[in-house]
Amino acid sequence: PTLRIDVVSIFPEYLTPLRAALLGRAIDRGIISVDVHDLRDWTHDVHRGVDDSPYGGGPGMVMKPEVWGPCLDDVCPDDALLVVPTPAGVPFTQSMAEDLSRERHLVFACGRYEGIDQRVVDDAATRTRVLEVSIGDFVLIGGEVATIAMVEATVRLIDGVLGNAASHQQDSFSDGLLEGPSYTRPEVWRGLAVPAVLRSGDHAKIEKWRHEESLQRTRSRRPDLLPADEPGQPD
Ligand SMILES: N#Cc1c(-c2ccc3cc[nH]c3c2)n[nH]c1N
């Protein structure tokens, strides 16, 4: 495959969506491979424990280095890129998705509880490249949903995965602005008409109107994305 993806989780069934729809098709067509590993397969005790109390006190539990270490020794070779979702991570962006889409082997380490003992990341970083990333400023229960989001954002950029190659050329962030509104038939729906310009056949006018709509939406929802020379910049 173009890209090999390994995911480690204590809830491997949480990663089932990676095998559905377009991503499932990309697997069937051999463009990507996806292997999910149950972290508990690397536990030593009869209770298959993966967590323990945090040094220094505080709420919750921390995931054990003595379980994660041997797991990553088996699952993550030195030439892979280890991706660790965490609320404390670097923001995941479209640019990072593009970088990940050019990798040959990605390993996603899904934490739960309060996270993974930091020494697991520090030890892995002595052998391989490690990215601690966050998909947004909100708190999830574990890294699985973030992994699914990052895998989807990454894999859709690989040639052959999306049916219509043009799809990701017009990504919402491709010109740095938010995508404007889209319309399809019927021309009038519940008394609401499609903007006449879109039915004019005047492609220059349509392109201008769409850019204006994108600017207006970006000003209103994401002023931080506005280019420096556009009015509406945040103070
Ligand atoms: N990425 C990301 C995350 C998380 C996250 C990731 C891993 C764990 C492990 C326990 N709790 C977690 C939350 N929350 N919010 C994000 N944007």
Side-chain angles (χ1 to χ4, degrees):
T2 306
L3 172 62
R4 174 176 178 165
I5 297 168
D6 285 279
V7 185
V8 180
S9 167
I10 57 172
F11 296 118
E13 68 279 7
Y14 228 89
L15 284 302
T16 310
L18 291 181
R19 302 195 185 288
L22 281 182
L23 293 190
R25 261 190 39 204
I27 296 171
D28 297 341
R29 291 159 60 202
I31 299 175
I32 62 171
S33 72
V34 176
D35 289 287
V36 182
H37 309 270
D38 185 342
L39 179 68
R40 292 193 194 279
D41 291 349
W42 282 271
T43 53
H44 332 281
D45 61 319
V46 66
H47 300 295
R48 293 165 61 87
V50 295
D51 62 306
D52 199 346
S53 306
Y55 275 110
M61 302 291 271
V62 177
M63 299 188 96
K64 295 164 66 72
E66 291 169 313
V67 178
W68 271 105
C71 169
L72 292 179
D73 290 347
D74 291 346
V75 171
C76 185
D78 296 0
D79 63 344
L81 174 63
L82 178 62
V83 182
V84 185
T86 165
V90 171
F92 184 75
T93 61
Q94 187 66 18
S95 169
M96 285 173 91
E98 284 159 10
D99 292 344
L100 293 194
S101 72
R102 290 187 283 268
E103 293 285 336
R104 297 279 298 156
H105 189 182
L106 299 173
V107 177
F108 290 85
C110 300
R112 282 266 161 165
Y113 306 100
E114 299 308 306
I116 303 171
D117 185 300
Q118 189 62 39
R119 290 169 293 179
V120 173
V121 164
D122 296 346
D123 169 61
T126 64
R127 287 184 301 281
T128 184
R129 291 166 298 144
V130 183
L131 286 182
E132 292 184 84
V133 287
S134 167
I135 63 165
D137 293 338
F138 46 85
V139 184
L140 298 168
I141 301 174
E144 288 81 5
V145 165
T147 294
I148 291 170
M150 290 191 277
V151 167
E152 180 170 311
T154 299
V155 170
R156 66 182 288 276
L157 297 173
I158 296 173
D159 284 346
V161 171
L162 287 187
N164 158 19
S167 308
H168 71 73
Q169 302 308 327
Q170 294 304 318
D171 273 348
S172 191
F173 294 83
S174 55
D175 62 356
L177 299 177
L178 299 182
E179 204 58 45
S182 297
Y183 304 87
T184 187
R185 284 185 288 257
E187 196 178 314
V188 181
W189 177 73
R190 293 190 180 177
L192 300 169
V194 171
V197 63
L198 296 180
R199 293 177 11 261
S200 70
D202 180 338
H203 296 290
K205 204 173 166 197
I206 289 168
E207 191 178 339
K208 185 174 184 310
W209 180 86
R210 282 177 166 161
H211 182 64
E212 198 44 50
E213 286 293 309
S214 288
L215 268 179
Q216 201 172 325
R217 178 174 279 186
T218 307
R219 270 194 207 102
S220 141
R221 298 178 184 177
R222 289 294 303 277
D224 58 298
L225 292 178
L226 283 172
D229 59 343
E230 278 298 337
Q233 274 288 339
D235 299 331

